Amino acid sequence: MWSEEWELYPSYIGAQVIEYGAVTEDTNDDRGADSTVSLDAVLPDDLLEKVISFLPVASVIRSGSVCKRWHEIVHARRRTWSKMVAQKPWYFMFTCSEEAVSGFAYDPSLRKWYGFDFPCIEKSNWSTSSSAGLVCLMDSENRSRIIVCNPITKDWKRLIDAPGGKSADYSALALSVSRTSHQYIVAIATSNQVPAEYYQWEFSIQLYESETGNWVSAFTEVLLGWRGGDECVICDGVLYYLVYSTGVLVNSNEHRHCVFMYDLSTRSVHTSLMSMAIPVPCPLTCGRLMNLKERLVLVGGIGKQDRPGIIKGIGVWELRNKQWHEVARMPHKYFQGFGEFDDVFASCGADDLIYIQSYGSPSLLTFEINQKLWRWSAKSPVMKRFPLQLFTGFSFEPSLDIAS
């Protein structure tokens, strides 16, 4: 499968698409050179910037190779790109292995894959979260090590070490970036088993604010019968954390997942997470939370009635007024199209686009939530080389104007 290559080069943007076709010319045109007027020659810089800003990100970067003038416009005018047409989120897919992470990024606007070396990420099991052009990474072996980067410009920064130690029984990462100020909040939600207490778990929330450059310990509570996981998201100023029942206090008629809420604007230390718990809409094999234009969306594997741990389909729900409303269910032909679908899978998204991927397959399915349109991506260049090979990925919004 052919894909374009996305490589580093020494400039502000930091990346370039190569192997694109040359523009052909009509060699039979007998008009004199003096009668030809270049559109580029008559357009002032501000209008040329405006025209380029309507292009997809990949095309903007490609246009920097046209001539010296275009190169300067593309690489030296960050404020121009803040006014670009909204970009659909890309999806970065890679293989789960102990080797250095490299993979391919999918651009849904052009339906193309690019060979892509993602900055900073060293292991495939690192936690990730993205928002408004930035991606946050957390080292799985040292959760105090947090990096924020722009994968398009390759700009990155390591944050000061997060409090709470290097490890936790369960930890989840969330990033929220202001689209106006570009300031951001990083949240780490952890869950640790209380020593000698099998059913008691201590929940903690640590917050980093780019404006102050510091971490604060926002909340701690010990709960009975519930533990955390690796799934949380910030949506409209609220941190949502998907948690799991440990089996106690839950009868056979209750679901074994629920979503905790924590308001980041008030940051109350006296609230109880259980008092703000929202049950999931049906028995789930797994759940993925995402922020789509400040709407909380849950993509979940629907468990069988008699065997809730076995997946029978995939649903999409939106939370409104603390109630789940079903948006869609994946048509069976797409569910079958993955082949053998795992009970646990990867799913993420932004804007109005959701990605779904089975860990056992490089196939990638998209769902446009506003149009309720299911569609396979262009065929992935990631190849399955042996039966037990695993794949994963995450989405991010391509941006040229935001720095870490």
Side-chain angles (χ1 to χ4, degrees), residues 246-299:
T246 58
V248 67
L249 303 180
V250 175
N251 60 48
S252 59
N253 296 321
E254 294 179 309
H255 304 325
R256 296 187 176 272
H257 300 76
C258 73
V259 177
F260 286 166
M261 299 171 54
Y262 181 75
D263 193 332
L264 298 179
S265 61
T266 59
R267 300 187 186 179
S268 173
V269 296
H270 303 295
T271 188
S272 170
L273 294 178
M274 282 308 302
S275 68
M276 302 293 286
I278 302 171
V280 295
C282 68
L284 299 180
T285 62
C286 77
R288 304 299 179 208
L289 300 173
M290 57 200 75
N291 179 344
L292 302 188
K293 294 181 177 178
E294 301 308 325
R295 298 176 297 170
L296 181 68
V297 171
L298 167 68
V299 177

Side-chain angles (χ1 to χ4, degrees), residues 330 334 338 354-356 363-367 374-377:
M330 182 187 293
Y334 292 107
F338 282 101
I354 295 172
Y355 291 101
I356 299 174
S363 299
L364 182 64
L365 184 66
T366 66
F367 177 62
W374 299 90
R375 189 181 190 188
W376 293 108
S377 73

Side-chain angles (χ1 to χ4, degrees), residues 348-366:
C348 51
D351 194 42
D352 64 350
L353 188 64
I354 295 172
Y355 291 101
I356 299 174
Q357 181 190 5
S358 167
Y359 288 131
S361 167
S363 299
L364 182 64
L365 184 66
T366 66

Side-chain angles (χ1 to χ4, degrees), residues 7-319:
E7 295 184 339
L8 290 175
Y9 71 109
S11 66
Y12 156 68
I13 296 299
Q16 182 185 25
V17 178
I18 64 173
E19 295 185 15
Y20 50 88
V23 177
T24 58
E25 295 181 335
D26 184 357
T27 57
N28 293 323
D29 190 349
D30 59 359
R31 290 177 295 177
D34 292 340
S35 65
T36 303
V37 178
S38 169
L39 182 62
D40 173 55
V42 299
L43 275 181
D45 284 357
D46 58 343
L47 285 182
L48 182 57
E49 291 172 23
K50 185 68 174 178
V51 171
I52 293 176
S53 71
F54 283 98
L55 299 174
V57 165
S59 299
V60 170
I61 296 175
R62 182 183 292 121
S63 68
S65 301
V66 171
C67 62
K68 182 178 180 180
R69 182 189 178 207
W70 285 37
H71 183 277
E72 291 175 351
I73 288 175
V74 168
H75 296 274
R77 310 198 181 205
R78 174 181 291 183
R79 277 178 287 186
T80 298
W81 312 128
S82 65
K83 302 174 183 177
M84 285 185 67
V85 174
Q87 305 286 313
K88 289 185 177 181
W90 290 14
Y91 189 84
F92 178 61
M93 182 186 295
F94 52 99
T95 300
C96 297
S97 70
E98 293 298 319
E99 301 175 359
V101 174
S102 63
F104 294 85
Y106 179 65
D107 177 357
S109 298
L110 300 177
R111 291 184 57 79
K112 286 186 177 181
W113 289 89
Y114 306 107
F116 199 93
D117 289 326
F118 204 95
C120 308
I121 187 169
E122 298 172 8
K123 297 284 186 69
S124 60
N125 61 351
W126 279 25
S127 299
T128 63
S129 180
S130 67
S131 174
L134 294 181
V135 176
C136 190
L137 310 163
M138 181 168 66
D139 188 339
S140 58
E141 298 176 358
N142 177 7
R143 54 164 296 277
S144 65
R145 184 184 176 204
I146 309 291
I147 295 171
V148 175
C149 72
N150 181 328
I152 297 296
T153 66
K154 310 298 181 183
D155 171 79
W156 65 276
K157 177 174 72 176
R158 178 176 174 178
L159 307 185
I160 62 173
D161 284 0
K166 294 183 177 181
S167 62
D169 292 336
Y170 297 94
S171 58
L173 179 70
L175 172 69
S176 178
V177 180
S178 167
R179 295 184 183 274
T180 53
S181 69
H182 290 177
Q183 298 293 339
Y184 55 84
I185 293 177
V186 176
I188 301 176
T190 61
S191 176
N192 287 292
Q193 190 175 30
V194 176
E197 296 290 344
Y198 180 75
Y199 292 113
Q200 290 189 356
W201 292 80
E202 182 182 73
F203 288 79
S204 298
I205 298 173
Q206 316 288 343
L207 300 175
Y208 174 90
E209 295 179 299
S210 62
E211 191 171 8
T212 63
N214 293 315
W215 289 92
V216 295
S217 297
F219 183 83
T220 300
E221 182 182 11
V222 175
L223 293 179
L224 178 66
W226 294 92
R227 68 160 179 84
D230 60 358
E231 194 71 26
C232 73
V233 69
I234 298 172
C235 185
D236 199 22
V238 177
L239 176 69
Y240 295 91
Y241 189 20
L242 184 68
V243 298
Y244 303 77
S245 166
T246 58
V248 67
L249 303 180
V250 175
N251 60 48
S252 59
N253 296 321
E254 294 179 309
H255 304 325
R256 296 187 176 272
H257 300 76
C258 73
V259 177
F260 286 166
M261 299 171 54
Y262 181 75
D263 193 332
L264 298 179
S265 61
T266 59
R267 300 187 186 179
S268 173
V269 296
H270 303 295
T271 188
S272 170
L273 294 178
M274 282 308 302
S275 68
M276 302 293 286
I278 302 171
V280 295
C282 68
L284 299 180
T285 62
C286 77
R288 304 299 179 208
L289 300 173
M290 57 200 75
N291 179 344
L292 302 188
K293 294 181 177 178
E294 301 308 325
R295 298 176 297 170
L296 181 68
V297 171
L298 167 68
V299 177
I302 302 172
K304 294 183 177 180
Q305 193 67 32
D306 56 337
R307 302 175 66 189
I310 304 298
I311 192 170
K312 69 174 184 179
I314 292 178
V316 180
W317 298 267
E318 179 183 343
L319 187 68

